[in-house]
Amino acid sequence: MKIALLGYGTVGRGVDEIISARVPQVEVARILELPDRLSDPRMTSNFDEILADGEVELVVECMGGIEPARTYIMAALAAGKHVVTSNKAVVAAHFAQFASAAQASGVGLYIEAAVGGGIPWIAGIEKARRVDEVTSFSGIMNGTTNYIVDAMRKQGAEFDDVLAEAQRLGYAERDPSADIDGIDVANKTIISASVAFDVACEKNLPVTGIRTLTKADLDLFAAHGRTVKLLGRGVREGGRYAVAVEPVAVPVESLEANVPGNFNLVTLDATTVGELKFYGQGAGSLPTGNAIVQDVLDCATGARRPAYDFSRGLDYDPTLLRADYVFRTTAELDGEEPYGKGAYLVRDLTAEGARAILSEALLADPTSFMAALS
Amino acid sequence: MKIALLGYGTVGRGVDEIISARVPQVEVARILELPDRLSDPRMTSNFDEILADGEVELVVECMGGIEPARTYIMAALAAGKHVVTSNKAVVAAHFAQFASAAQASGVGLYIEAAVGGGIPWIAGIEKARRVDEVTSFSGIMNGTTNYIVDAMRKQGAEFDDVLAEAQRLGYAERDPSADIDGIDVANKTIISASVAFDVACEKNLPVTGIRTLTKADLDLFAAHGRTVKLLGRGVREGGRYAVAVEPVAVPVESLEANVPGNFNLVTLDATTVGELKFYGQGAGSLPTGNAIVQDVLDCATGARRPAYDFSRGLDYDPTLLRADYVFRTTAELDGEEPYGKGAYLVRDLTAEGARAILSEALLADPTSFMAALS
């Protein structure tokens, strides 16, 4: 099968390397690159050339960002080419549109690499759903923030110092907002919920990151036998579902608490199989490239042809996600109980309600931090 | 697709329940049962009836044990019926024979349920191998022994008391030898290595269980920041491979150390995807039934048709698995260093060499215990 790569950054190069070394039945025939970077005879800066090439049956989009990725994906699908993408932002924003375009053209839409890097998470959810209902999922879906919290905990270091080190190592972007504010996890949570619950997932979900987490916060939770992880979560009950992204204070003996460095750990719960967890490299050239190549092989061999139709008509009901929350803030709170120095427990809040309380607290005390108790 | 179940115990009933409730495209048309238990019109005690039923395209063997399971599986394959089995003992003993019979008849042989219950481990290894070389694997593959060690550690209880409780809860057999002596894990390790390394795995591997583990041993390892897990392991380097089953003293902050109750956690390491871990229920009616139903669906939809040919000609080389070992024994050892009360560290042994030392020590002190340091 001949394929084209849109983008030749970290992920695109990983795909090219893996296919040329290990997958003789697939050929990277065309590569879309910027005009000043056309260093390979397969490269072009003109997407229409790729679109018009009838021998290219499948397009791998690994450019990132919303545009022109969205336009190229829609054009490829309309032209009857299968699409494989690692771009969580564009899939989270336009999943239903892509899915119906793929269905209309009778081609496949493959998004494994958009969540959890090399972890077979999307295919794992789809496999579970062949037999079971998926009733909930949760996970550490962002390696950068896991690296930061893990290093803060193990080295007793402050957030800013660890972030600077992560940037030096290439684990964090120069502008780390998408990671540390939970945006990246929100996109992955939207995609996971869409696949797990068969719904065009609500995009206006409660999202809280770890920007204000301090060493003192970790020490406080450690005294309660917990540590903090940034989790994306979703739950379905009957015809309703809810999703959220927030710091969660998990017991130190949980698997989540012990996920090291920039690894990911994602969990689903389903009717007959019960709890399944998947762990691995959530990012990186070769792991993410591997996920793309697996999608390409699923398409080439006919082993898997995902069909997302989101026809279930589930209702978004944010009251489904409830927990006790700890707030560390100098702002005033209602109904709080002491939890430790400067921190307060507020019982039985919805994720949305907790986020609203935090938003208000941040106005009075911009350093405020919040975590759900799992 | 019409299928037959051979055996209607815990697993067989789980398969029947899942298919009748959730999988309309598959019908359990025949069930092989003992003559005095024919309680359902689908049941027969005559295997030849099932074999002669041309409408039955696939046979699920979930009887356990070697015979008559082996004979029935071979007869079904020879008759051109696909075979799905959860029977680790018969697959470990006759994998190559089954695989070549399946190949000769052009039918599928599916063994997901034989290792790790509902965890998609075998399919996960096969998927990784489409792209990567699997260079090693290891795992907690036996829920009974994990339950015992976890309860000993959390309750500060002795082995015999926890075993009795596990038997009461139905987690351990009345004769627990296959679990606590590592036989069950050895079968699963042989199967995992066969799939991961594409080799008819050596059956004479070093196998040590946890029968002599004491609360004092766990306390000793805890003082070193470790706890004990019974692991099956395999490694491949170039044209050689090795496998072993033994207690391993893992760091308390590892994921393995924190696997609770009767759960399983299995790990593979592969060229481009890196480390992948899979966690879930390793046994039980519905999780194991789920794995069987997934195999049936892979066969019915054509999504997956495993082909095991073991043609790689790898050499078994037990010197590949080396570690430092701790022995708690009153027997005399060579080259030992103190590790704590009554325990000694011996550095850089092969798994086979360590097992030989333990075997000799057990003659002098039948309570001797050994664990590798990971």
Side-chain angles (χ1 to χ4, degrees):
Chain A
M1 176 186 262
K2 290 193 180 185
I3 73 170
L5 300 183
L6 312 184
Y8 205 65
T10 309
V11 174
R13 280 193 296 267
V15 172
D16 195 28
E17 179 182 333
I18 294 170
I19 287 178
S20 67
R22 309 183 158 271
V23 189
Q25 68 269 43
V26 176
E27 181 197 340
V28 178
R30 310 298 293 256
I31 299 169
L32 185 70
E33 247 296 17
L34 296 173
D36 57 339
R37 294 193 193 166
L38 304 179
S39 57
D40 182 305
R42 299 169 298 172
M43 288 180 177
T44 172
S45 60
N46 183 356
F47 174 68
D48 290 336
E49 265 182 43
I50 291 172
L51 201 63
D53 186 336
E55 292 198 336
V56 171
E57 295 176 60
L58 183 151
V59 166
V60 174
E61 185 276 305
C62 44
M63 301 186 297
I66 300 293
E67 286 293 356
R70 191 199 66 85
T71 302
Y72 291 172
I73 288 173
M74 287 301 291
L77 292 171
K81 298 184 195 298
H82 307 287
V83 168
V84 175
T85 177
S86 59
N87 183 338
K88 51 230 156 205
V90 79
V91 174
H94 301 289
F95 201 169
Q97 185 188 22
F98 294 161
S100 74
Q103 209 161 13
S105 293
V107 295
L109 171 68
Y110 297 83
I111 58 163
E112 181 66 82
V115 187
I119 300 171
W121 169 238
I122 298 294
I125 299 174
E126 289 170 8
K127 186 170 182 176
R129 284 199 57 214
R130 295 198 308 190
V131 176
D132 280 353
E133 298 285 327
V134 176
T135 50
S136 69
F137 70 87
S138 74
I140 297 168
M141 301 178 174
N142 180 276
T144 304
T145 46
N146 196 72
Y147 172 87
I148 291 173
V149 177
D150 189 48
M152 286 175 71
R153 184 181 169 206
K154 288 181 180 156
Q155 301 164 17
E158 281 296 352
F159 186 93
D160 288 343
D161 299 329
V162 173
L163 173 60
E165 174 72 1
Q167 287 169 318
R168 205 185 56 79
L169 290 169
Y171 293 168
E173 308 276 340
R174 221 168 310 168
D175 176 359
S177 310
D179 291 323
I180 67 177
D181 291 335
I183 315 300
D184 176 76
V185 180
N187 285 330
K188 292 166 174 172
T189 300
I190 290 168
I191 295 169
S192 299
S194 302
V195 175
F197 305 148
D198 192 19
V199 69
C201 181
E202 171 65 39
K203 295 181 187 77
N204 182 24
L205 66 161
V207 177
T208 303
I210 59 158
R211 188 184 281 270
T212 56
L213 176 67
T214 64
K215 177 180 165 338
D217 295 331
L218 286 175
D219 291 344
L220 175 69
F221 284 110
H224 289 266
R226 295 176 180 270
T227 193
V228 173
K229 295 283 171 169
L230 180 60
L231 298 186
R233 298 198 281 181
V235 63
R236 187 183 70 74
E237 280 181 38
R240 300 173 301 152
Y241 76 101
V243 285
V245 175
E246 58 195 8
V248 178
V250 298
V252 290
E253 70 273 15
S254 63
L255 264 63
E256 284 70 18
N258 293 284
V259 170
N262 60 349
F263 278 86
N264 286 193
L265 176 68
V266 279
T267 302
L268 65 83
D269 222 299
T271 330
T272 70
V273 79
E275 192 177 56
L276 286 181
K277 291 177 188 276
F278 303 78
Y279 168 98
Q281 282 287 353
S285 178
L286 293 179
T288 306
N290 181 287
I292 286 175
V293 174
Q294 292 285 8
D295 271 354
V296 171
L297 284 172
D298 278 346
C299 182
T301 63
R304 183 171 146 260
R305 173 71 63 90
Y308 307 107
D309 72 357
F310 308 141
S311 60
R312 252 202 187 170
L314 296 187
D315 289 323
Y316 181 65
D317 178 357
T319 67
L320 291 178
L321 276 172
R322 304 189 80 89
D324 298 339
Y325 284 77
V326 170
F327 296 83
R328 187 265 303 143
T329 181
T330 59
E332 285 193 18
L333 302 171
D334 282 339
E336 89 281 2
E337 306 165 30
Y339 188 78
K341 201 184 165 217
Y344 305 93
L345 177 69
V346 183
R347 294 188 188 273
D348 194 29
L349 296 173
T350 65
E352 203 171 52
R355 174 65 230 186
I357 291 171
L358 178 68
S359 295
E360 205 176 313
L362 283 165
L363 298 176
D365 173 5
T367 75
S368 303
F369 178 77
M370 167 192 94
L373 298 185
S374 71
Chain B
M1 176 185 264
K2 289 192 180 186
I3 73 170
L5 300 182
L6 311 184
Y8 205 65
T10 309
V11 174
R13 279 193 296 268
V15 172
D16 195 28
E17 180 183 332
I18 294 169
I19 287 177
S20 67
R22 311 183 156 272
V23 190
Q25 67 270 42
V26 176
E27 181 195 341
V28 178
R30 309 297 295 252
I31 299 170
L32 185 71
E33 245 297 16
L34 296 173
D36 58 340
R37 292 193 193 166
L38 304 179
S39 57
D40 183 305
R42 299 170 296 173
M43 290 181 175
T44 173
S45 60
N46 183 356
F47 174 68
D48 290 336
E49 264 182 43
I50 291 172
L51 201 62
D53 186 337
E55 292 197 336
V56 171
E57 294 177 61
L58 182 152
V59 166
V60 174
E61 186 276 305
C62 45
M63 301 185 296
I66 300 293
E67 285 294 355
R70 191 199 65 85
T71 302
Y72 291 172
I73 288 172
M74 288 301 291
L77 293 171
K81 298 184 195 298
H82 307 286
V83 168
V84 175
T85 177
S86 59
N87 183 338
K88 51 230 154 204
V90 80
V91 174
H94 302 289
F95 200 168
Q97 186 188 21
F98 295 160
S100 75
Q103 210 161 13
S105 294
V107 295
L109 171 68
Y110 296 83
I111 59 163
E112 181 65 81
V115 187
I119 300 171
W121 169 238
I122 298 293
I125 298 174
E126 289 169 8
K127 186 170 182 176
R129 284 200 55 216
R130 295 198 307 190
V131 176
D132 280 354
E133 299 285 329
V134 176
T135 50
S136 69
F137 70 88
S138 75
I140 298 169
M141 301 179 176
N142 180 275
T144 304
T145 46
N146 197 71
Y147 172 87
I148 292 173
V149 177
D150 189 48
M152 287 175 71
R153 183 182 170 208
K154 287 181 181 157
Q155 300 163 18
E158 280 296 353
F159 186 93
D160 289 342
D161 299 328
V162 173
L163 174 59
E165 174 73 2
Q167 287 169 318
R168 205 184 58 76
L169 291 170
Y171 293 168
E173 309 275 339
R174 224 168 307 169
D175 176 359
S177 310
D179 290 323
I180 67 177
D181 291 335
I183 315 299
D184 176 75
V185 180
N187 285 330
K188 291 166 175 172
T189 300
I190 289 168
I191 294 169
S192 300
S194 302
V195 176
F197 305 149
D198 192 19
V199 69
C201 181
E202 171 65 40
K203 296 182 187 74
N204 183 23
L205 65 161
V207 177
T208 303
I210 59 158
R211 188 185 279 272
T212 56
L213 176 67
T214 64
K215 177 181 167 335
D217 294 331
L218 286 176
D219 291 343
L220 176 68
F221 284 111
H224 289 265
R226 295 177 179 270
T227 193
V228 173
K229 296 283 172 169
L230 179 60
L231 298 186
R233 297 198 280 180
V235 63
R236 186 183 69 75
E237 280 181 39
R240 302 173 301 151
Y241 76 101
V243 285
V245 176
E246 59 195 7
V248 179
V250 297
V252 291
E253 69 273 15
S254 63
L255 264 61
E256 284 70 17
N258 293 285
V259 171
N262 60 350
F263 278 85
N264 285 193
L265 176 69
V266 279
T267 303
L268 66 82
D269 222 300
T271 331
T272 69
V273 78
E275 194 176 54
L276 285 181
K277 292 178 188 276
F278 302 77
Y279 168 97
Q281 282 288 351
S285 179
L286 293 179
T288 307
N290 181 287
I292 286 176
V293 174
Q294 292 286 8
D295 271 355
V296 171
L297 284 172
D298 278 346
C299 181
T301 63
R304 183 171 144 259
R305 174 70 62 89
Y308 307 108
D309 73 357
F310 307 141
S311 59
R312 251 203 186 170
L314 297 187
D315 289 323
Y316 181 66
D317 178 358
T319 67
L320 292 178
L321 275 172
R322 306 190 79 91
D324 298 339
Y325 284 78
V326 170
F327 296 84
R328 187 264 304 144
T329 182
T330 60
E332 286 192 19
L333 302 170
D334 282 339
E336 89 281 3
E337 306 165 30
Y339 189 77
K341 200 180 165 221
Y344 305 93
L345 177 69
V346 183
R347 293 187 188 274
D348 195 27
L349 296 172
T350 65
E352 203 172 52
R355 175 65 229 187
I357 292 171
L358 178 68
S359 295
E360 206 177 311
L362 283 166
L363 298 176
D365 173 5
T367 75
S368 303
F369 178 77
M370 165 190 97
L373 297 185
S374 71

mmCIF file of all heavy atoms in Angstrom, chain A residues 167-197:
data_model
loop_
_atom_site.group_PDB
_atom_site.id
_atom_site.type_symbol
_atom_site.label_atom_id
_atom_site.label_comp_id
_atom_site.label_asym_id
_atom_site.label_seq_id
_atom_site.Cartn_x
_atom_site.Cartn_y
_atom_site.Cartn_z
ATOM 1 N N GLN A 167 11.687 21.135 30.125
ATOM 2 C CA GLN A 167 11.866 21.864 28.863
ATOM 3 C C GLN A 167 13.250 21.602 28.290
ATOM 4 O O GLN A 167 13.413 21.387 27.096
ATOM 5 C CB GLN A 167 11.639 23.360 29.086
ATOM 6 C CG GLN A 167 10.148 23.684 29.290
ATOM 7 C CD GLN A 167 9.899 25.100 29.765
ATOM 8 O OE1 GLN A 167 10.616 25.601 30.631
ATOM 9 N NE2 GLN A 167 8.861 25.726 29.224
ATOM 10 N N ARG A 168 14.259 21.555 29.182
ATOM 11 C CA ARG A 168 15.624 21.294 28.745
ATOM 12 C C ARG A 168 15.737 19.905 28.106
ATOM 13 O O ARG A 168 16.428 19.693 27.114
ATOM 14 C CB ARG A 168 16.564 21.400 29.965
ATOM 15 C CG ARG A 168 18.013 21.750 29.628
ATOM 16 C CD ARG A 168 18.896 21.710 30.866
ATOM 17 N NE ARG A 168 18.852 20.435 31.564
ATOM 18 C CZ ARG A 168 19.510 19.340 31.185
ATOM 19 N NH1 ARG A 168 20.288 19.367 30.127
ATOM 20 N NH2 ARG A 168 19.400 18.201 31.874
ATOM 21 N N LEU A 169 15.011 18.919 28.684
ATOM 22 C CA LEU A 169 15.069 17.541 28.187
ATOM 23 C C LEU A 169 14.180 17.316 26.962
ATOM 24 O O LEU A 169 14.161 16.224 26.397
ATOM 25 C CB LEU A 169 14.635 16.563 29.291
ATOM 26 C CG LEU A 169 15.590 16.406 30.474
ATOM 27 C CD1 LEU A 169 14.910 15.617 31.594
ATOM 28 C CD2 LEU A 169 16.872 15.697 30.030
ATOM 29 N N GLY A 170 13.382 18.343 26.609
ATOM 30 C CA GLY A 170 12.487 18.175 25.467
ATOM 31 C C GLY A 170 11.178 17.491 25.820
ATOM 32 O O GLY A 170 10.401 17.126 24.944
ATOM 33 N N TYR A 171 10.907 17.288 27.116
ATOM 34 C CA TYR A 171 9.623 16.693 27.528
ATOM 35 C C TYR A 171 8.503 17.732 27.581
ATOM 36 O O TYR A 171 7.342 17.376 27.613
ATOM 37 C CB TYR A 171 9.727 16.050 28.917
ATOM 38 C CG TYR A 171 10.616 14.843 29.008
ATOM 39 C CD1 TYR A 171 10.995 14.329 30.247
ATOM 40 C CD2 TYR A 171 11.066 14.182 27.865
ATOM 41 C CE1 TYR A 171 11.794 13.213 30.350
ATOM 42 C CE2 TYR A 171 11.872 13.064 27.959
ATOM 43 C CZ TYR A 171 12.237 12.594 29.208
ATOM 44 O OH TYR A 171 13.037 11.491 29.314
ATOM 45 N N ALA A 172 8.879 19.008 27.674
ATOM 46 C CA ALA A 172 7.862 20.061 27.749
ATOM 47 C C ALA A 172 8.146 21.112 26.685
ATOM 48 O O ALA A 172 9.294 21.370 26.335
ATOM 49 C CB ALA A 172 7.859 20.709 29.137
ATOM 50 N N GLU A 173 7.093 21.701 26.140
ATOM 51 C CA GLU A 173 7.209 22.751 25.122
ATOM 52 C C GLU A 173 7.697 24.047 25.759
ATOM 53 O O GLU A 173 7.589 24.241 26.963
ATOM 54 C CB GLU A 173 5.828 23.031 24.504
ATOM 55 C CG GLU A 173 5.093 21.828 24.000
ATOM 56 C CD GLU A 173 5.514 21.436 22.598
ATOM 57 O OE1 GLU A 173 6.074 22.294 21.886
ATOM 58 O OE2 GLU A 173 5.299 20.265 22.227
ATOM 59 N N ARG A 174 8.195 24.947 24.884
ATOM 60 C CA ARG A 174 8.607 26.248 25.402
ATOM 61 C C ARG A 174 7.404 26.960 26.025
ATOM 62 O O ARG A 174 7.497 27.541 27.082
ATOM 63 C CB ARG A 174 9.231 27.105 24.291
ATOM 64 C CG ARG A 174 10.446 27.860 24.806
ATOM 65 C CD ARG A 174 11.253 28.487 23.681
ATOM 66 N NE ARG A 174 11.560 27.529 22.602
ATOM 67 C CZ ARG A 174 12.043 27.878 21.421
ATOM 68 N NH1 ARG A 174 12.270 29.153 21.144
ATOM 69 N NH2 ARG A 174 12.311 26.977 20.506
ATOM 70 N N ASP A 175 6.249 26.909 25.352
ATOM 71 C CA ASP A 175 5.006 27.349 25.995
ATOM 72 C C ASP A 175 4.278 26.104 26.503
ATOM 73 O O ASP A 175 3.661 25.380 25.720
ATOM 74 C CB ASP A 175 4.114 28.102 25.009
ATOM 75 C CG ASP A 175 2.774 28.472 25.657
ATOM 76 O OD1 ASP A 175 2.559 28.122 26.842
ATOM 77 O OD2 ASP A 175 1.960 29.103 24.977
ATOM 78 N N PRO A 176 4.369 25.822 27.788
ATOM 79 C CA PRO A 176 3.862 24.549 28.301
ATOM 80 C C PRO A 176 2.376 24.570 28.646
ATOM 81 O O PRO A 176 1.858 23.596 29.206
ATOM 82 C CB PRO A 176 4.693 24.366 29.576
ATOM 83 C CG PRO A 176 4.889 25.758 30.081
ATOM 84 C CD PRO A 176 4.957 26.655 28.854
ATOM 85 N N SER A 177 1.662 25.645 28.291
ATOM 86 C CA SER A 177 0.282 25.814 28.752
ATOM 87 C C SER A 177 -0.607 24.633 28.398
ATOM 88 O O SER A 177 -1.391 24.165 29.222
ATOM 89 C CB SER A 177 -0.317 27.097 28.154
ATOM 90 O OG SER A 177 0.554 28.171 28.363
ATOM 91 N N ALA A 178 -0.514 24.138 27.153
ATOM 92 C CA ALA A 178 -1.422 23.067 26.721
ATOM 93 C C ALA A 178 -1.262 21.839 27.618
ATOM 94 O O ALA A 178 -2.239 21.142 27.906
ATOM 95 C CB ALA A 178 -1.153 22.694 25.269
ATOM 96 N N ASP A 179 -0.038 21.586 28.066
ATOM 97 C CA ASP A 179 0.168 20.456 28.976
ATOM 98 C C ASP A 179 -0.268 20.786 30.398
ATOM 99 O O ASP A 179 -1.117 20.110 30.970
ATOM 100 C CB ASP A 179 1.648 20.028 28.974
ATOM 101 C CG ASP A 179 2.065 19.384 27.657
ATOM 102 O OD1 ASP A 179 1.243 18.648 27.082
ATOM 103 O OD2 ASP A 179 3.197 19.625 27.214
ATOM 104 N N ILE A 180 0.308 21.847 30.987
ATOM 105 C CA ILE A 180 0.119 22.052 32.426
ATOM 106 C C ILE A 180 -1.252 22.611 32.771
ATOM 107 O O ILE A 180 -1.688 22.493 33.909
ATOM 108 C CB ILE A 180 1.243 22.924 33.048
ATOM 109 C CG1 ILE A 180 1.194 24.356 32.538
ATOM 110 C CG2 ILE A 180 2.604 22.303 32.785
ATOM 111 C CD1 ILE A 180 2.233 25.248 33.198
ATOM 112 N N ASP A 181 -1.956 23.178 31.782
ATOM 113 C CA ASP A 181 -3.322 23.639 32.056
ATOM 114 C C ASP A 181 -4.383 22.595 31.708
ATOM 115 O O ASP A 181 -5.583 22.871 31.808
ATOM 116 C CB ASP A 181 -3.601 24.943 31.298
ATOM 117 C CG ASP A 181 -2.783 26.100 31.862
ATOM 118 O OD1 ASP A 181 -2.409 26.037 33.059
ATOM 119 O OD2 ASP A 181 -2.495 27.055 31.114
ATOM 120 N N GLY A 182 -3.952 21.420 31.259
ATOM 121 C CA GLY A 182 -4.898 20.324 31.042
ATOM 122 C C GLY A 182 -5.572 20.313 29.677
ATOM 123 O O GLY A 182 -6.435 19.463 29.418
ATOM 124 N N ILE A 183 -5.184 21.231 28.776
ATOM 125 C CA ILE A 183 -5.825 21.303 27.445
ATOM 126 C C ILE A 183 -5.576 20.018 26.654
ATOM 127 O O ILE A 183 -6.484 19.457 26.021
ATOM 128 C CB ILE A 183 -5.271 22.495 26.629
ATOM 129 C CG1 ILE A 183 -5.182 23.768 27.461
ATOM 130 C CG2 ILE A 183 -6.091 22.687 25.358
ATOM 131 C CD1 ILE A 183 -6.465 24.240 28.015
ATOM 132 N N ASP A 184 -4.316 19.559 26.685
ATOM 133 C CA ASP A 184 -3.959 18.333 25.959
ATOM 134 C C ASP A 184 -4.762 17.145 26.488
ATOM 135 O O ASP A 184 -5.293 16.345 25.717
ATOM 136 C CB ASP A 184 -2.449 18.089 26.127
ATOM 137 C CG ASP A 184 -1.996 16.791 25.505
ATOM 138 O OD1 ASP A 184 -1.883 16.728 24.269
ATOM 139 O OD2 ASP A 184 -1.761 15.820 26.264
ATOM 140 N N VAL A 185 -4.869 17.045 27.805
ATOM 141 C CA VAL A 185 -5.653 15.949 28.397
ATOM 142 C C VAL A 185 -7.129 16.101 28.060
ATOM 143 O O VAL A 185 -7.828 15.107 27.831
ATOM 144 C CB VAL A 185 -5.444 15.879 29.922
ATOM 145 C CG1 VAL A 185 -6.264 14.742 30.517
ATOM 146 C CG2 VAL A 185 -3.963 15.688 30.258
ATOM 147 N N ALA A 186 -7.608 17.354 28.001
ATOM 148 C CA ALA A 186 -9.020 17.562 27.647
ATOM 149 C C ALA A 186 -9.298 17.028 26.244
ATOM 150 O O ALA A 186 -10.296 16.334 26.013
ATOM 151 C CB ALA A 186 -9.376 19.045 27.745
ATOM 152 N N ASN A 187 -8.408 17.316 25.282
ATOM 153 C CA ASN A 187 -8.600 16.787 23.930
ATOM 154 C C ASN A 187 -8.620 15.260 23.934
ATOM 155 O O ASN A 187 -9.451 14.627 23.278
ATOM 156 C CB ASN A 187 -7.492 17.292 23.007
ATOM 157 C CG ASN A 187 -7.686 18.756 22.623
ATOM 158 O OD1 ASN A 187 -8.824 19.226 22.550
ATOM 159 N ND2 ASN A 187 -6.595 19.463 22.397
ATOM 160 N N LYS A 188 -7.705 14.653 24.689
ATOM 161 C CA LYS A 188 -7.636 13.190 24.728
ATOM 162 C C LYS A 188 -8.840 12.591 25.450
ATOM 163 O O LYS A 188 -9.285 11.489 25.123
ATOM 164 C CB LYS A 188 -6.323 12.767 25.398
ATOM 165 C CG LYS A 188 -5.096 13.110 24.547
ATOM 166 C CD LYS A 188 -3.808 13.016 25.346
ATOM 167 C CE LYS A 188 -2.586 13.225 24.458
ATOM 168 N NZ LYS A 188 -1.338 13.327 25.253
ATOM 169 N N THR A 189 -9.347 13.334 26.435
ATOM 170 C CA THR A 189 -10.534 12.864 27.157
ATOM 171 C C THR A 189 -11.769 12.920 26.248
ATOM 172 O O THR A 189 -12.586 11.990 26.248
ATOM 173 C CB THR A 189 -10.738 13.725 28.417
ATOM 174 O OG1 THR A 189 -9.584 13.600 29.246
ATOM 175 C CG2 THR A 189 -11.976 13.293 29.190
ATOM 176 N N ILE A 190 -11.881 13.994 25.486
ATOM 177 C CA ILE A 190 -13.001 14.112 24.534
ATOM 178 C C ILE A 190 -12.961 12.952 23.533
ATOM 179 O O ILE A 190 -13.976 12.307 23.254
ATOM 180 C CB ILE A 190 -12.941 15.479 23.810
ATOM 181 C CG1 ILE A 190 -13.291 16.611 24.789
ATOM 182 C CG2 ILE A 190 -13.850 15.496 22.587
ATOM 183 C CD1 ILE A 190 -12.978 18.006 24.258
ATOM 184 N N ILE A 191 -11.764 12.668 23.012
ATOM 185 C CA ILE A 191 -11.636 11.581 22.027
ATOM 186 C C ILE A 191 -11.948 10.232 22.677
ATOM 187 O O ILE A 191 -12.687 9.405 22.128
ATOM 188 C CB ILE A 191 -10.220 11.580 21.410
ATOM 189 C CG1 ILE A 191 -9.996 12.860 20.600
ATOM 190 C CG2 ILE A 191 -10.011 10.340 20.545
ATOM 191 C CD1 ILE A 191 -8.548 13.076 20.165
ATOM 192 N N SER A 192 -11.399 9.993 23.874
ATOM 193 C CA SER A 192 -11.631 8.716 24.558
ATOM 194 C C SER A 192 -13.113 8.514 24.853
ATOM 195 O O SER A 192 -13.653 7.419 24.670
ATOM 196 C CB SER A 192 -10.832 8.662 25.868
ATOM 197 O OG SER A 192 -9.446 8.773 25.622
ATOM 198 N N ALA A 193 -13.781 9.572 25.315
ATOM 199 C CA ALA A 193 -15.208 9.462 25.617
ATOM 200 C C ALA A 193 -16.014 9.209 24.356
ATOM 201 O O ALA A 193 -16.961 8.420 24.354
ATOM 202 C CB ALA A 193 -15.696 10.735 26.311
ATOM 203 N N SER A 194 -15.633 9.871 23.272
ATOM 204 C CA SER A 194 -16.353 9.673 22.010
ATOM 205 C C SER A 194 -16.314 8.205 21.604
ATOM 206 O O SER A 194 -17.321 7.626 21.200
ATOM 207 C CB SER A 194 -15.721 10.537 20.908
ATOM 208 O OG SER A 194 -15.732 11.901 21.270
ATOM 209 N N VAL A 195 -15.114 7.599 21.722
ATOM 210 C CA VAL A 195 -14.951 6.198 21.318
ATOM 211 C C VAL A 195 -15.592 5.261 22.347
ATOM 212 O O VAL A 195 -16.281 4.309 21.992
ATOM 213 C CB VAL A 195 -13.457 5.865 21.135
ATOM 214 C CG1 VAL A 195 -13.254 4.386 20.829
ATOM 215 C CG2 VAL A 195 -12.849 6.730 20.031
ATOM 216 N N ALA A 196 -15.390 5.546 23.626
ATOM 217 C CA ALA A 196 -15.871 4.640 24.677
ATOM 218 C C ALA A 196 -17.387 4.645 24.789
ATOM 219 O O ALA A 196 -18.000 3.603 25.016
ATOM 220 C CB ALA A 196 -15.255 5.032 26.022
ATOM 221 N N PHE A 197 -17.988 5.817 24.636
ATOM 222 C CA PHE A 197 -19.422 5.943 24.881
ATOM 223 C C PHE A 197 -20.225 6.114 23.589
ATOM 224 O O PHE A 197 -21.446 6.208 23.639
ATOM 225 C CB PHE A 197 -19.705 7.136 25.816
ATOM 226 C CG PHE A 197 -18.963 7.089 27.130
ATOM 227 C CD1 PHE A 197 -18.566 8.266 27.754
ATOM 228 C CD2 PHE A 197 -18.667 5.872 27.745
ATOM 229 C CE1 PHE A 197 -17.887 8.242 28.976
ATOM 230 C CE2 PHE A 197 -17.985 5.847 28.959
ATOM 231 C CZ PHE A 197 -17.592 7.032 29.572
#
